Amino acid sequence: MTGRYDETEGRGPEEPVVVRDRRRIDPLTGEVRSAAPAAETQDGPKHAAPAEEPAAQTEPEPATHAGPGLGESIVDDSVSVATGLEKELAERTADLQRLQAEYANYRKRVDRDREQVVVGAKASVVGDLLPLLDDLERAEQHGDLTGAFKAVGEKLVGSLQRSGLEAFGTEGEPFDPSVHEAVQHSTSPDVAGPTVTMVMRRGYRFGERVLRPAMVGVTDHEPGGAPVDPPVGGELPLEGELFDENNR
């Protein structure tokens, strides 16, 4: 009959259980312990293990940058990107300035064209009224411009003058072929040059535009007679003597 196996057989006396507290912070006081507590064993207390000293801090060595190798570019990529952005910004700024200048010129051209259209329209209306002004001038010369008719005529002429109408072509002014139309010509020693001596129809301009040239008569300077040859011997020959000399 087989006997029962006893687990306690062959085992020596039980060793006491030793609990080692290796916590660096005391749970009761919350303070940091200066060194780990000594471990206790059956043989007795052992010396506490020295605290680990922190590793000595060493200064990092300065980084050394090696120069570019053969065939490598020495231009930094960040510098290239910044240069490209600056170039693009300069191009866009130049385009904007050019567009702004073109728009300013366009506005000036439109304003100038609009002003010319307005002046042209006014000049066209005033040009249609020039025959009426001629009739008023002739009536005034004949003494027929009187009463209410004269008041209406003066108001009409005043309104046209305030709008920019200007009359020209008076006797005594120098002849100007760009604004005068000469229909009669004469000479006189009393004038120094081509002078308007008769006005047949008054001319008109509106601003810088000539609506109608003045129809005038022009008088030029008349030069003196041909000089006479000096007499021979201080005396003039008689007509008979001159005739006889020519027949010889």
Side-chain angles (χ1 to χ4, degrees), residues 64-88:
T64 58
H65 299 280
L70 182 62
E72 295 182 358
S73 175
I74 61 174
V75 180
D76 193 358
D77 294 339
S78 61
V79 176
S80 301
V81 173
T83 305
L85 292 177
E86 292 177 356
K87 182 178 180 180
E88 186 176 358

Side-chain angles (χ1 to χ4, degrees), residues 13-167:
E14 296 182 357
E15 298 179 357
V17 178
V18 179
V19 179
R20 298 182 178 86
D21 188 2
R22 301 180 180 274
R23 290 178 292 184
R24 298 295 302 275
I25 299 175
D26 191 349
L28 299 178
T29 61
E31 296 180 355
V32 179
R33 296 175 179 175
S34 59
E40 296 180 355
T41 58
Q42 290 180 349
D43 298 335
K46 295 183 178 181
H47 296 287
E52 297 180 358
E53 297 182 358
Q57 296 182 356
T58 59
E59 297 182 356
E61 297 181 357
T64 58
H65 299 280
L70 182 62
E72 295 182 358
S73 175
I74 61 174
V75 180
D76 193 358
D77 294 339
S78 61
V79 176
S80 301
V81 173
T83 305
L85 292 177
E86 292 177 356
K87 182 178 180 180
E88 186 176 358
L89 178 61
E91 292 177 356
R92 296 296 181 269
T93 303
D95 294 340
L96 181 60
Q97 292 176 353
R98 182 167 55 254
L99 181 61
Q100 187 176 4
E102 291 178 357
Y103 179 70
N105 294 332
Y106 170 75
R107 288 191 59 183
K108 292 180 181 179
R109 185 170 60 254
V110 169
D111 294 340
R112 183 172 60 253
D113 294 343
R114 184 185 296 111
E115 184 178 359
Q116 291 179 356
V117 170
V118 173
V119 173
K122 291 182 179 180
S124 178
V125 174
V126 174
D128 295 338
L129 297 176
L130 294 183
L132 178 59
L133 296 180
D134 295 338
D135 294 339
L136 292 175
E137 186 176 0
R138 283 191 291 268
E140 184 179 6
Q141 292 176 356
H142 290 84
D144 298 334
L145 191 63
T146 58
F149 184 55
K150 180 179 180 180
V152 173
E154 291 178 351
K155 289 182 180 180
L156 176 61
V157 174
S159 298
L160 295 177
Q161 290 178 350
R162 287 191 296 271
S163 299
L165 182 64
E166 180 183 358

Side-chain angles (χ1 to χ4, degrees), residues 185-194 219-225:
H185 182 267
S186 61
T187 59
S188 173
D190 298 334
V191 295
T219 301
D220 288 337
H221 176 68
E222 181 180 1

